[in-house]
């Protein structure tokens, strides 16, 4: 058993500094197209399969809630739309009041898979891993909706899951919040025209925060969690005071 | 195909018409309805063919294609049978070839076909408590608007009860259960501490992917095929691309073939680490779970840094890949992967020396080899039971024939054997990636495919096992029929084998060692 203790200690601290600072490790986010300016980009706009890119003022505009990161606008096409490496994509929708102060720092989450492909769910699961460690910020996953403050719904809401979704939502005690994770539950994503799925979660239950992405990386979901609990003021992603942990587990600045 | 097999089949069905595809070597046997089951049985039992999937097509006639996969490079056979559209009765093949069981249930549910002799038809994909009988979404004439507006759910669905003893009851679990589990419902038949049987009720996540891709171009369909099972996206996108490419008789640049191996193995590497992580977590081994979670995240970051997407979305293209990779990027990724593998080796060392961990895996959820063969199981689950089938070896695609792949297996078939197979396979994956980087030819990695009409299918060894994609295109280059036979569908069918007479607390462990995806099954 001592082997595990030594192994654990040797691994050091790998947790990201987000939200105390930005995360700049490679491969933490697929990024989004960022069509700033640019003219004559009709060809890449035309290749967008989900109409996330639209023509605007001669250039292009992005509806991030529709993008599925297929890269058809920057691969094998001329001209290309540049991409960024952002991850703070969540947006508030809520008309419901903020959670009371007591709930903000200890939030229990019921994760509900309403037909997702497995990728969103995996990214959600990874929030518990040492790199993201959402426990340090007071987020916990709970198995029962009766103890949950927040319902996180993933997937395009398959028809067969509708009853289960409504039952889980009703079983939650007030005050309750709902967060929709992934492009599928935001706009239907690639399943938009499907006959066995809903177009978006907002048509079924009230949604407070929408996190787009296909799938949204763990940091994007974390950003959404901070928004939905009314903790935006804790996000200092522009701060560069503390260096971010790199993926090898060694911290750049710390001794 | 051997001569004695041809002779045997001629004897079973004298009117059989045999057609061999010159390019692929695939053989098609066109049989009458009555003798189809016997011909299928002959392939499966006497000639070591594994049932791979049933493709039902509604064309001028009903066309049923039972696909079989053999052990030689050209070992694919299709047993085809036809019937007029107004006659929907077929002899059940699953009575003789049990692996076809769920495929026929699906065809009954979605097409309204009747399989005479099949022991259990009805509520399967379309749940009876949501839909009335007679809704057949895969039929050509199906109109979603009418079906959705005239919905009459029946409140009659009751769990099936087999155990009839005093005090016996059914413990329902799901579809919303556990912390972050996929949506699936289980019925555990129990008399208290011990569970006798566990049956999954699936398809809560049925999104009708095979129906929505109909009428779309292959490129648009690729988006959906890639995103119905996100954790094995690249493998499925690859299988679909290969089917379309075979149909178009397209030649893929060598460089693309090698890079496809690289990406497929990178995906397997990550997916297996994720399964290993789930196994550690299911046994309550906190440090082991954290350590393997670190490895999984590292593998995801390597994938993300190399390709731009952590789950390898948007890479497969019809005719190659959407992008090329330079030498430096590939070497960086390879170095990263090799480091993660070293770490995984150290974690495995700790795991096999942790008796509290092994106690929970050994002899848990064991599957005998002959049961694995009977159910046609695939992937690491089958290989852990000594059923050594791996498409990378038996029917090498992309550049696997040049990478000298050898499959690995175990014989015990229990949870521990499955864990060992996963560890051996990630080692093989890294070996393959090294071979690819060392032998990568120069040249383009994409050549456009001109679409042809007709049907073709292709098999790919995804991280969870063999997946078979069948594509039929019409003359306008649109998808007429697409069938996704997935490894999770195959292995969920055999899940009950591992879940017999066990203690309650072993259930999550059996589930984790199977490493199944519900999304991949439900489509």
């Amino acid at each position: 058993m001592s082997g595990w203790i030594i192994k654990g200690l040797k691994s050091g601290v790998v947790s990201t500094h987000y939200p105390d600072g930005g995360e700049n490790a490679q491969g933490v986010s697929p990024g989004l197209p960022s069509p700033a300016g640019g003219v004559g980009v009709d060809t890449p706009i035309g290749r967008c399969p989900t109409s996330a890119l639209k023509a605007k003022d001669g250039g292009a505009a992005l509806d991030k809630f529709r993008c599925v990161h297929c890269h058809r606008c920057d691969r094998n096409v001329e001209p290309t739309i540049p991409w960024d490496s952002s991850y703070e994509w969540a947006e508030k929708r809520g008309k419901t009041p903020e959670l009371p102060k007591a709930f903000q720092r200890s939030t229990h989450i019921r994760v509900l898979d309403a037909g997702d492909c497995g990728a969103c769910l995996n990214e959600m699961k990874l929030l518990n891993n040492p790199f993201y460690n959402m426990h340090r910020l007071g987020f916990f996953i709970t198995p029962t909706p009766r103890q949950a403050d927040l319902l996180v719904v993933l997937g395009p809401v398959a028809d067969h899951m509708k009853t289960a979704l409504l039952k889980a939502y009703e079983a939650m005690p007030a005050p309750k919040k709902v967060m929709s994770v992934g492009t599928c539950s935001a706009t239907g994503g690639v399943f938009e025209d499907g006959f066995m799925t809903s177009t978006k979660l907002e048509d079924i239950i009230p949604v407070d925060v929408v996190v787009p992405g296909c799938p949204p990386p763990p940091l994007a979901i974390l950003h959404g969690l901070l928004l939905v609990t009314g903790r935006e003021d804790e996000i200092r992603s522009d701060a560069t005071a503390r260096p971010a942990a790199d993926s090898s587990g060694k911290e750049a600045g710390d001794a | 195909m051997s001569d004695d097999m041809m002779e045997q089949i001629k004897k079973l069905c004298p009117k059989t018409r045999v057609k061999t595809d010159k390019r692929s070597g695939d053989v098609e046997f066109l049989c009458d309805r009555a003798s189809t089951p016997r011909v299928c049985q002959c392939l499966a039992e006497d000639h070591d063919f594994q049932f791979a999937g049933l493709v039902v097509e509604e064309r001028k006639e009903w066309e049923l294609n039972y696909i079989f996969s053999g052990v030689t490079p050209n070992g694919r056979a299709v047993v085809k049978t036809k019937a007029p559209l107004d006659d929907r009765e077929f002899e059940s093949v699953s009575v003789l070839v049990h692996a076809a069981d769920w495929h026929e249930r699906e065809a009954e549910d979605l097409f309204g076909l009747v399989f005479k002799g099949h022991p259990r038809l009805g509520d399967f994909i379309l749940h009876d408590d949501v839909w009335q009988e007679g809704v057949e979404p895969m039929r050509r004439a199906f109109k979603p608007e009418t079906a959705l507006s005239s919905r009459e759910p029946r409140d009659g669905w009751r769990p099936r009860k087999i155990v009839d003893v005093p005090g016996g009851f059914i413990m329902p679990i799901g579809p919303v259960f556990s912390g972050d589990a996929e949506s699936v419902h289980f019925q555990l038949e129990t008399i208290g501490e011990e569970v006798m049987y566990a049956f999954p009720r699936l398809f809560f996540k049925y999104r009708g992917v095979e129906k929505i891709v109909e009428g779309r171009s292959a490129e648009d369909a690729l988006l959906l095929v890639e995103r119905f099972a996100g954790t094995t996206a690249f493998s499925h996108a690859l299988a679909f691309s290969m089917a379309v490419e075979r149909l178009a008789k397209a030649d893929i640049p060598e460089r693309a073939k090698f890079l496809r191996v690289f990406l497929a193995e990178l995906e397997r590497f990550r997916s297996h680490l994720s399964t290993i992580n789930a196994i550690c977590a299911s046994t309550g081994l906190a440090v082991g779970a954290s350590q393997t979670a670190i490895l999984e995240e590292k593998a995801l970051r390597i994938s993300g840094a190399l390709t731009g997407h952590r789950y390898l979305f948007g890479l497969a293209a019809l005719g190659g890949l959407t992008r090329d990779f330079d030498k430096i990027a590939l070497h960086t990724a390879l170095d990263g992967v090799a480091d993660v593998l070293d770490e995984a080796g150290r974690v495995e060392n700790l795991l096999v020396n942790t008796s509290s961990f092994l106690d929970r895996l050994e002899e848990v959820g064991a599957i005998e080899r002959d049961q694995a063969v009977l159910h046609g199981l695939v992937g690491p689950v089958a290989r852990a039971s000594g059923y050594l089938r791996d498409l990378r070896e038996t029917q090498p695609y992309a550049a696997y024939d040049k990478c000298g792949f050898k499959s690995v297996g175990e014989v015990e078939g229990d949870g521990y054997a499955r864990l060992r197979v996963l560890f051996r396979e990630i080692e093989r994956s890294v070996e393959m990636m090294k071979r690819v980087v060392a032998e990568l030819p120069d040249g383009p990695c994409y050549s456009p495919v001109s679409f042809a009409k007709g049907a073709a299918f292709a098999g790919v060894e995804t991280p969870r096992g063999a997946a078979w994609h069948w594509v039929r295109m019409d003359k306008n280059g649109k998808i007429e029929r697409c069938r996704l036979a997935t490894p999770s569908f195959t292995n969920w069918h055999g899940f009950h084998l591992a879940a017999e007479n066990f203690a309650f607390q072993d259930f999550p462990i059996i589930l984790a060692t199977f490493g199944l995806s519900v999304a991949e099954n439900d489509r």
Side-chain angles (χ1 to χ4, degrees):
Chain A
M1 284 311 280
S2 60
W4 285 114
I5 298 167
I6 294 164
K7 183 86 188 70
L9 290 172
K10 265 191 180 167
S11 301
V13 177
V14 296
S15 301
T16 173
H17 289 307
Y18 187 82
D20 288 340
E23 173 64 73
N24 45 25
Q26 288 259 300
V28 290
S29 168
L32 282 174
S34 65
V39 278
V41 285
D42 291 348
T43 324
I45 293 174
R47 292 192 69 197
C48 181
T50 54
S51 336
L53 285 170
K54 286 211 174 75
K56 191 187 166 193
D57 306 333
L62 173 77
D63 177 358
K64 63 182 171 185
F65 297 99
R66 308 190 72 89
C67 180
V68 292
H69 317 291
C70 66
H71 281 281
R72 286 182 189 179
C73 57
D74 79 332
R75 287 178 192 162
N76 302 320
V77 65
E78 278 298 331
T80 58
I81 303 257
W83 279 55
D84 62 21
S85 54
S86 61
Y87 49 82
E88 288 182 314
W89 301 335
E91 255 181 42
K92 279 198 174 188
R93 284 280 193 281
K95 290 153 206 86
T96 49
E98 293 284 339
L99 283 176
K101 213 66 193 160
F103 289 86
Q104 290 184 356
R105 308 211 65 86
S106 168
T107 311
H108 286 252
I109 307 165
R110 172 65 243 188
V111 178
L112 198 142
D113 160 23
D116 92 310
C117 68
C120 287
L121 195 67
N122 207 49
E123 297 290 50
M124 187 73 217
K125 184 197 88 179
L126 288 170
L127 277 175
N128 260 332
N129 83 13
F131 279 99
Y132 302 105
N133 189 11
M134 64 174 173
H135 292 178
R136 78 198 148 100
L137 297 165
F139 295 109
F140 306 93
I141 287 180
T142 172
T144 162
R146 294 204 188 280
Q147 292 169 359
D149 313 305
L150 170 65
L151 187 68
V152 167
V153 184
L154 321 110
V157 192
D159 219 75
H160 290 169
M161 277 306 291
K162 233 180 211 166
T163 314
L165 170 69
L166 291 172
K167 276 188 181 173
Y169 180 69
E170 272 153 31
M172 285 168 67
K176 53 187 168 188
K177 290 273 179 183
V178 177
M179 186 164 99
S180 126
V181 167
T183 302
C184 287
S185 54
T187 59
V190 290
F191 298 105
E192 196 179 0
D193 305 327
F195 63 100
M196 286 301 263
T197 46
S198 308
T199 313
K200 51 185 175 180
L201 181 66
E202 285 168 280
D203 295 345
I204 304 170
I205 50 174
V207 174
D208 298 280
V209 164
V210 182
V211 187
C214 184
L219 288 172
I221 305 176
L222 204 54
H223 177 242
L225 289 175
L226 291 167
L227 285 196
V228 80
T229 45
R231 292 162 65 180
E232 303 92 310
D233 50 333
E234 289 177 33
I235 303 170
R236 287 185 294 274
S237 47
D238 297 335
T240 45
R242 295 182 65 184
D246 71 17
S247 61
S248 66
K250 292 182 204 80
E251 294 196 29
D254 293 7
Chain B
M1 301 291 152
S2 63
D3 291 341
D4 64 317
M5 185 174 106
M6 296 289 184
E7 232 167 75
Q8 209 178 341
I9 289 174
K10 280 276 178 205
K11 224 178 264 169
L12 288 169
C13 175
K15 277 186 285 182
T16 308
R17 287 220 306 272
V18 186
K19 212 164 77 186
T20 310
D21 185 275
K22 276 199 196 84
R23 201 176 150 97
S24 64
D26 296 358
V27 184
E28 184 187 282
F29 301 100
L30 181 62
C31 305
D32 57 46
R33 271 186 283 176
S35 51
T36 304
R38 298 288 303 281
V39 174
C40 290
Q41 183 190 28
C42 164
L43 286 176
E45 285 179 9
D46 301 340
H47 299 281
D48 206 17
F49 275 85
Q50 185 178 17
F51 178 72
L54 164 64
V55 184
V56 178
E57 291 192 278
E58 183 186 359
R59 307 185 69 211
K60 287 187 189 112
E61 292 174 291
W62 286 112
E63 290 182 18
L64 270 61
N65 305 281
Y66 290 86
I67 304 174
F68 287 84
S69 143
V71 279
T72 57
N74 294 331
R76 283 177 295 259
V78 178
V79 181
K80 196 184 190 94
T81 186
K82 294 184 178 182
L85 283 182
D86 53 4
D87 183 359
R88 296 202 257 173
E89 273 201 3
F90 292 86
E91 299 289 332
S92 169
V93 166
S94 63
V95 177
L96 299 176
V97 182
H98 185 59
D101 179 12
W102 276 19
H103 285 268
E104 292 187 341
R105 284 180 72 180
E106 176 173 336
E108 191 264 354
D109 215 7
L110 300 183
F111 284 97
L113 302 183
V114 179
F115 291 95
K116 279 186 286 181
H118 195 293
R120 186 172 152 81
L121 296 169
D123 178 87
F124 186 54
I125 290 186
L126 298 182
H127 289 176
D128 282 358
D129 41 358
V130 184
W131 297 94
Q132 65 272 35
E133 283 298 301
V135 177
E136 289 146 7
M138 290 305 290
R139 295 286 312 258
R140 291 251 165 272
F142 175 71
K143 291 267 180 300
E145 311 80 45
T146 359
L148 287 165
S149 57
S150 63
R151 198 177 336 205
E152 301 161 35
R154 297 191 309 182
D155 56 321
W157 187 78
R158 290 280 173 277
R160 169 170 68 150
K161 202 162 174 242
I162 290 180
V163 180
D164 190 18
V165 290
F169 64 95
I170 293 174
M171 164 123 173
I173 297 179
V176 180
F177 71 111
S178 181
D180 46 23
E182 284 194 83
S183 292
V184 51
H185 174 82
F186 294 100
Q187 299 152 28
L188 306 189
E189 282 207 73
T190 175
I191 46 166
E193 185 57 30
E194 191 175 278
V195 183
M196 267 98 156
Y197 296 104
F199 287 104
R201 187 186 195 216
L202 291 144
F203 298 104
F204 281 91
K205 290 164 65 163
Y206 176 60
R207 291 147 290 168
V209 173
E210 290 169 352
K211 183 71 181 179
I212 12 186
V213 298
E214 286 179 7
R216 296 194 186 191
S217 70
E219 208 186 343
D220 284 349
L222 186 64
L223 271 185
L224 273 152
V225 170
E226 193 168 71
R227 281 167 179 76
F228 83 97
T231 49
T232 48
F234 185 76
S235 301
H236 282 292
L238 178 59
F240 181 81
S241 310
M242 277 165 48
V244 175
E245 287 156 8
R246 284 184 73 179
L247 184 55
K249 300 190 173 57
D251 283 314
I252 306 308
E254 278 298 298
R255 187 178 174 83
K257 288 186 183 169
F258 275 86
L259 285 173
R260 280 176 168 186
V261 171
F262 188 89
L263 294 170
E265 292 307 320
L266 183 59
E267 179 171 87
R268 186 179 329 273
F269 184 74
R270 189 213 68 229
S271 171
H272 280 8
L273 283 173
S274 180
T275 310
I276 291 168
N277 168 246
I279 295 173
C280 291
S282 73
T283 59
L285 188 71
V287 191
S290 292
Q291 289 296 333
T292 45
I294 290 179
L295 301 182
E296 185 191 351
E297 174 67 22
K298 281 185 179 173
L300 279 163
R301 288 186 180 188
I302 293 166
S303 311
L306 175 70
T307 69
H309 198 285
R310 287 155 62 89
Y311 292 85
L312 311 183
F313 288 8
L315 288 166
L318 309 164
L321 294 172
T322 57
R323 57 165 293 183
D324 204 344
F325 302 98
D326 64 41
K327 224 179 174 139
I328 300 165
L330 286 174
H331 275 285
T332 312
L334 193 58
D335 291 347
V337 166
D339 286 347
V340 174
L341 182 68
D342 283 348
E343 278 296 307
R346 282 194 277 279
V347 171
E348 190 194 4
N349 238 333
L350 286 167
L351 287 175
V352 300
N353 286 307
T354 305
S355 55
S356 64
F357 174 72
L358 293 187
D359 285 348
R360 312 235 20 213
L361 287 180
E362 280 173 320
E363 290 168 42
V364 166
I367 295 183
E368 303 274 333
R369 186 181 187 278
D370 51 351
Q371 285 295 324
V373 176
L374 183 71
H375 285 72
L377 299 188
V378 291
V381 174
R383 294 193 281 274
S385 294
Y387 190 30
L388 271 181
R389 286 287 172 100
D390 195 317
L391 290 182
R392 290 173 288 170
E393 186 177 45
T394 55
Q395 295 166 26
Y397 49 93
Y400 278 109
D401 49 345
K402 296 180 190 83
C403 294
F405 176 79
K406 289 295 272 177
S407 59
V408 276
E410 296 285 344
V411 287
E412 292 92 339
D414 59 354
Y416 185 36
R418 293 199 272 276
L419 179 75
R420 292 201 307 272
V421 167
L422 293 173
F423 272 111
R424 297 294 78 73
E425 289 199 358
I426 57 171
E427 289 165 7
R428 290 287 154 96
S429 290
V430 177
E431 257 172 56
M432 290 288 112
M433 283 189 259
K434 280 186 181 154
R435 283 284 284 265
V436 168
V437 173
E439 292 170 27
L440 188 62
D442 288 330
C445 68
Y446 171 76
S447 72
V449 174
S450 52
F451 300 107
K453 100 186 230 283
F457 66 102
V460 158
E461 188 74 24
T462 74
R464 297 188 181 91
W468 296 88
H469 288 216
W470 169 291
V471 180
R472 180 179 290 281
M473 307 259 280
D474 65 15
K475 58 180 190 303
N476 304 318
K478 304 282 186 219
I479 306 278
E480 201 176 305
R481 171 88 169 105
C482 171
R483 172 87 173 115
L484 316 167
T486 65
S488 288
F489 186 75
T490 312
N491 283 355
W492 271 117
H493 178 223
F495 176 72
H496 69 93
L497 295 170
E500 266 180 34
N501 299 318
F502 60 95
F504 259 113
Q505 63 270 25
D506 286 342
F507 187 62
I509 298 172
I510 298 174
L511 255 182
T513 58
F514 255 70
L516 296 172
S517 159
V518 180
E520 195 181 69
N521 172 80
D522 291 5
R523 286 158 288 146

